[in-house]
Amino acid sequence: MKNIFISGASGFIGTHIIIEGLKRGYTITGTTRSMHKEGVLREIVSAHLGEEALSRLIIFYCDLNSPDGWADAMKGCDAVLHVASPFPMGLPKHEDDLILPARNGVKHVFEAALKNNIHRIVQTSSIAAIMYGHEKGRTTFDEHDFTNLEGGMITPYTKSKTLAEQDVWKYAKQHPELKVSVINPGFVLGPLLNKEIGTSADVVLKLMKGEFPGVPKLGFPIVDVRDVATAHYNALENENSIGHRYAAVAESLWFKDIANAILASHPTYHKKVKARELPNWFIKIFSLFDKPTRMILDELGFCAVISNQKMKTDLKINPISSKDAIQATAKSLVD
């Protein structure tokens, strides 16, 4: 495989995947939504890898909700990394604002790949498609678990990732020639490559700006974005990964642990970063004035632990610690 097609090339994960692919010697055909995003991406690549790498980067403009352009953009490619999917800062006005582009993206990308006789696909999913909707009190999961959309703690984002991944496996079943692997990242942190702050890093940013009087009793599995990028290529280059999904996670940490990790590397922020855990009733009141907080109300008191043994064994990744990923984000924000 020489030429890799990557959707969502200008996003936080996508940009790191572009960098990693160019480092490995691939030619990359990527998609963004606008000329501005292409310009930012090229600046990042030039700054990190030099002008030679730019000669191996081709960009097309494609929209997840439209079939136009995908098949033409994929011509000559050997494999597909489908990364693009909406990740909101807050609750959408309607759940279809997330669900439709996530599912349409799978439809358009997979059909374009089939049209171009491209069979190798690595899909970016999420732990959101693993750990929700199960029996009350359960907190440990692995790749055998699939989110139950009839259960609890289901948000529009959870629905979008779960339904999109279900669509992926339906395509794989309907088209046996497809060789599909799926990566399910946790809460993705790590070094930022430009000044655009994504949804994940925005949480750390708000903590460091002192926008929270404390933290909710809530936790999640964290992963460094560099490990997410590595996981995509290690899966792509390993035929044993075909037909499998991989939880890309390091340790699970509570919000108070995230705040303390920031303070450990940036003690001068002690007046702004509040590591004290707030009662659930306070968080519910706070959410009336802060829309993003509404996304976590159903998860208060919940901290899932997801096994990363399969990632370690099959993809040969010993993950960067969650604490290091948090501190890398904090350092990027300060820089």
Side-chain angles (χ1 to χ4, degrees):
M1 296 176 289
K2 302 285 187 182
N3 192 339
I4 310 300
F5 181 90
I6 301 173
S7 67
S10 60
F12 179 44
I13 295 175
T15 303
H16 276 273
I17 288 176
I18 293 283
I19 295 289
E20 178 66 18
L22 292 170
K23 282 181 179 177
R24 295 191 184 209
Y26 290 112
T27 294
I28 304 291
T29 298
T31 68
T32 67
R33 287 176 295 169
S34 68
M35 187 177 295
H36 166 71
K37 289 184 178 295
E38 178 188 357
V40 172
L41 177 59
R42 290 191 176 278
E43 287 177 6
I44 293 169
V45 170
S46 178
H48 285 79
L49 302 177
E51 292 297 312
E52 183 278 330
L54 286 176
S55 68
R56 291 184 283 116
L57 177 62
I58 306 160
I59 298 296
F60 287 84
Y61 307 135
C62 294
D63 188 322
L64 291 174
N65 282 318
S66 171
D68 297 341
W70 291 99
D72 287 338
M74 275 187 210
K75 285 180 180 176
C77 292
D78 303 304
V80 171
L81 306 186
H82 180 36
V83 183
S85 189
F87 188 12
M89 291 283 192
L91 286 171
K93 290 184 178 179
H94 193 280
E95 64 178 16
D96 281 346
D97 293 342
L98 295 182
I99 294 171
L100 289 180
R103 300 188 76 180
N104 286 338
V106 169
K107 174 181 170 64
H108 299 145
V109 166
F110 274 65
E111 290 185 354
L114 288 165
K115 188 176 290 187
N116 280 286
N117 205 32
I118 301 170
H119 299 150
R120 189 70 177 102
I121 302 177
V122 178
Q123 168 79 20
T124 311
S125 184
S126 167
I127 57 167
I130 292 177
M131 67 186 198
Y132 293 117
H134 301 287
E135 59 270 26
K136 192 172 182 180
R138 184 179 172 193
T139 58
T140 58
F141 308 93
D142 63 24
E143 290 87 352
H144 293 98
D145 296 302
F146 227 107
T147 287
N148 173 19
L149 295 179
E150 302 302 317
M153 298 190 291
I154 303 300
T155 66
Y157 176 72
T158 300
K159 277 190 179 181
S160 73
K161 299 306 291 188
T162 303
L163 290 169
E165 190 182 337
Q166 288 175 348
D167 290 345
V168 166
W169 294 118
K170 285 177 185 175
Y171 267 104
K173 186 175 182 180
Q174 292 166 358
H175 300 275
E177 68 272 26
L178 289 176
K179 300 176 180 179
V180 177
S181 306
V182 171
I183 306 298
N184 299 75
F187 188 67
V188 184
L189 295 173
L192 307 176
L193 297 177
N194 64 359
K195 293 182 180 180
E196 292 188 15
I197 309 300
T199 304
S200 298
D202 189 59
V203 173
V204 178
L205 175 65
K206 286 182 175 180
L207 279 170
M208 296 182 75
K209 290 174 70 176
E211 293 185 17
F212 299 138
V215 294
K217 186 174 177 56
L218 170 66
F220 26 72
I222 295 171
V223 64
D224 192 288
V225 66
R226 292 165 289 187
D227 284 335
V228 177
T230 300
H232 280 75
Y233 287 102
N234 286 9
L236 178 70
E237 296 166 2
N238 178 5
E239 289 201 354
N240 291 328
S241 76
I242 294 168
H244 293 276
R245 62 206 299 243
Y246 292 92
V249 295
E251 303 88 4
S252 293
L253 296 179
W254 293 93
F255 242 109
K256 64 181 179 181
D257 299 321
I258 295 174
N260 282 322
I262 295 168
L263 290 171
S265 61
H266 293 81
T268 57
Y269 281 77
H270 69 276
K271 291 184 178 179
K272 292 189 175 183
V273 180
K274 309 295 193 304
R276 63 175 177 268
E277 212 163 59
L278 299 171
N280 291 350
W281 62 262
F282 184 92
I283 300 297
K284 291 174 182 177
I285 295 173
F286 186 77
S287 72
L288 297 175
F289 309 96
D290 186 72
K291 289 182 179 180
T293 302
R294 297 172 198 172
M295 295 178 66
I296 65 168
L297 291 181
D298 289 343
E299 297 180 49
L300 292 174
F302 180 63
C303 182
V305 176
I306 300 180
S307 172
N308 59 14
Q309 189 56 52
K310 194 173 177 183
M311 176 186 73
K312 288 180 175 179
T313 302
D314 291 6
L315 304 186
K316 310 301 181 188
I317 295 173
N318 187 24
I320 297 165
S321 75
S322 295
K323 181 179 177 181
D324 286 346
I326 294 162
Q327 292 176 343
T329 305
K331 182 179 184 302
S332 294
L333 290 169
V334 171
D335 291 346

